[in-house]
């Protein structure tokens, strides 16, 4: 991890390293898997459904699979051809809904046309929703009730905990070492209002008592809106949109965006080199929010397993 300063500028921002933080999640999840396995006589199970040959989807699925295995989960795989019919895909989901060894179902999105991802997400049993995207679980999020939360926003919240703590991540750090940040009195702006990231992100921030503004493509004076915030979350899909003069000195900047540039390199929605000098903490892209999304999917699956079996972790 990089050096930390609470003010940015002088000695540089705290770099929020998602890869290292995801190791802390893995240690916590592995311990929970051990506890659960001894109580229910099986490991928590994750079913991964991939449709078609989209290279990015294949990479994401492989990393989710690897993380699950590392933490001791049992995994189930269905790799279906892009030509799969609606009925065939529905039958695979239904099979996992009724398989008692499966606690989390991941349907990798996007699905190839003409399949509509949201239709199939709705077919997943809400208590087995690993991504936290089922409408029932999004409703429970609005109500503040226990349910799987969307993975990317959940990962961002853990990065925010890291940003606001004084701990240095080490080889034995677990999530138990990371205090939950209080956001009372803090203002946060979320740029983006998608079902996947922006909206649930805003509600997780609100749940922690932040004063939240949602910004989007119809927002006027986006730089001014961002400049008023203590916490900026960018989930837009526009390369390097957020510039230095959009960010209040000392603000925490969390970049969800993953954009591929014409030269093949990845970048975020934040102009990292421009913004880092004024931020107190910032996520890099790649290596920031991305690894945390994977970690939270596995964490959600283990939490689903505990909830389904009445085990308190
Ligand atoms: P999305 O569904 O396309 O939503 C983008 C949002 O950004 C929309 O709400 C849109 O506003 C807003 N927007 C677009 N252009 C804008 C502009 N110029 N100014 C202000 N707002 C603007 O995208 P998403 O699924 O939320 O994903 C956003 C980004 O995060 C993408 O780069 C995606 O690849 C990345 N992502 C990363 C992870 C991860 O694990 N790190 C996970 C998921 C997504 P309107 O609603 O007004 O159209």
């Amino acid at each position: 991890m990089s050096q930390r300063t609470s003010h940015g500028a002088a000695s540089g921002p705290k770099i929020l390293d998602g890869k290292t933080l995801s190791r802390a999640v893995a240690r916590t999840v592995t311990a929970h898997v051990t506890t659960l396995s001894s109580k229910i006589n099986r490991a928590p199970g994750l079913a991964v459904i991939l449709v078609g040959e989209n290279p990015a989807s294949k990479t994401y699925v492989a990393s989710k699979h690897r993380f699950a295995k590392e933490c001791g989960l049992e995994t189930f795989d269905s790799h279906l051809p892009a030509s799969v019919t609606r009925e065939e895909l529905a039958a695979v989901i239904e099979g996992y809904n009724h398989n008692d060894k499966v606690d989390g179902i991941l349907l990798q999105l996007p699905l190839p046309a003409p399949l509509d991802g949201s239709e199939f997400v709705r077919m997943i049993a809400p208590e087995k929703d690993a991504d936290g995207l089922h409408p029932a679980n999004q409703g429970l999020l609005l109500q503040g009730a226990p349910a799987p939360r969307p993975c990317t926003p959940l990962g961002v919240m853990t990065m925010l905990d890291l940003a606001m703590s004084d701990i240095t991540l080490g080889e034995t750090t677990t999530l138990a070492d990371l205090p939950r940040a209080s956001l009372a009195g803090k203002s946060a702006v979320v740029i983006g209002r998608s079902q996947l990231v922006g909206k649930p992100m805003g509600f997780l921030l609100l749940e922690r008592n932040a004063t939240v503004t949602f910004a989007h493509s119809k927002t006027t004076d986006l730089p001014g809106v961002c400049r008023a915030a203590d916490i900026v979350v960018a989930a837009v899909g526009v390369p390097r949109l957020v510039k230095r003069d959009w960010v209040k000195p000392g603000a925490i900047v969390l970049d969800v965006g993953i954009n591929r540039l014409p030269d093949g390199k990845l970048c975020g929605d934040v102009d990292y080199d421009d913004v880092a000098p004024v931020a107190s903490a910032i996520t890099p892209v790649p290596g920031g929010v991305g690894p945390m999304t994977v970690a939270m999917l596995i964490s959600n699956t283990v939490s689903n397993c505990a909830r389904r079996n009445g085990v308190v972790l």
Side-chain angles (χ1 to χ4, degrees):
M1 294 293 296
S2 159
Q3 71 276 40
R4 194 217 191 290
T5 161
S6 54
H7 310 293
S11 55
K14 183 175 187 175
I15 313 296
L16 304 169
D17 175 351
K19 276 193 196 154
T20 308
L21 185 56
S22 75
R23 295 292 90 213
V25 179
R27 278 177 219 109
T28 299
V29 171
T30 303
H32 287 165
V33 169
T34 306
T35 305
L36 269 168
S37 302
S38 70
K39 290 192 191 258
I40 65 170
N41 295 317
R42 67 171 178 84
L46 172 69
V48 179
I49 306 171
L50 173 65
V51 183
E53 304 297 330
N54 180 315
S57 292
K58 282 170 119 172
T59 306
Y60 289 135
V61 161
S63 57
K64 290 166 183 173
H65 198 268
R66 202 164 44 240
F67 200 104
K69 281 285 182 203
E70 267 178 49
C71 296
L73 281 82
E74 186 175 2
T75 55
F76 303 81
D77 289 301
S78 294
H79 186 177
L80 309 169
S83 58
V84 70
T85 64
R86 192 189 163 279
E87 291 69 27
E88 286 165 342
L89 179 53
V92 170
I93 294 171
E94 205 46 31
Y96 287 134
N97 282 345
H98 288 104
N99 183 338
D100 219 30
K101 290 180 166 180
V102 171
D103 303 287
I105 301 172
L106 159 69
L107 176 62
Q108 185 64 43
L109 301 175
L111 296 178
L115 300 172
D116 167 17
S118 58
E119 178 190 354
F120 292 94
V121 166
R122 282 196 293 273
M123 291 180 191
I124 295 172
E127 70 277 11
K128 295 193 178 190
D129 176 19
D131 263 326
L133 296 178
H134 191 284
N137 291 326
Q138 296 220 321
L140 290 167
L141 166 63
L142 293 197
Q143 295 188 346
R149 302 293 194 226
C151 301
T152 301
L154 207 51
V156 171
M157 292 308 292
T158 310
M159 302 192 92
L160 195 48
D161 289 336
L162 177 63
M164 296 180 72
S165 82
D166 285 323
I167 74 157
T168 301
L169 296 175
E171 304 252 309
T172 57
T173 309
T174 69
L175 287 186
D177 300 314
L178 200 58
R180 274 168 70 88
S182 165
L183 304 183
K186 302 282 181 200
S187 57
V189 62
V190 182
I191 320 174
R193 54 175 167 177
S194 68
Q195 297 292 347
L196 181 64
V197 189
K199 281 182 191 156
M201 184 75 249
F203 281 96
L204 288 186
L205 289 161
L206 184 64
E207 214 170 51
R208 294 269 199 106
N209 296 319
T211 302
V212 181
T213 301
F214 289 95
H216 45 76
S217 68
K218 308 292 186 286
T219 299
T220 51
D221 188 21
L222 186 56
V225 169
C226 290
R227 227 171 7 247
D230 302 307
I231 298 160
V232 177
V233 182
V236 189
V238 176
R240 297 179 183 140
L241 177 75
V242 178
K243 303 291 184 196
R244 182 189 303 215
D245 64 352
W246 294 32
V247 174
K248 174 160 68 170
I252 298 170
V253 179
L254 302 140
D255 190 354
V256 177
I258 302 179
N259 308 291
R260 196 164 289 281
L261 297 169
D263 65 4
K265 291 194 180 139
L266 293 179
C267 79
D269 294 339
V270 174
D271 190 334
Y272 183 92
D273 292 338
D274 195 39
V275 169
V278 295
S280 65
I282 188 166
T283 56
V285 178
V289 175
M292 289 301 292
T293 296
V294 175
M296 289 305 162
L297 178 94
I298 309 309
S299 174
N300 268 351
T301 299
V302 173
S303 299
N304 287 353
C305 179
R307 211 177 286 119
R308 292 177 66 232
N309 287 282
V311 176
V312 178
L313 292 170

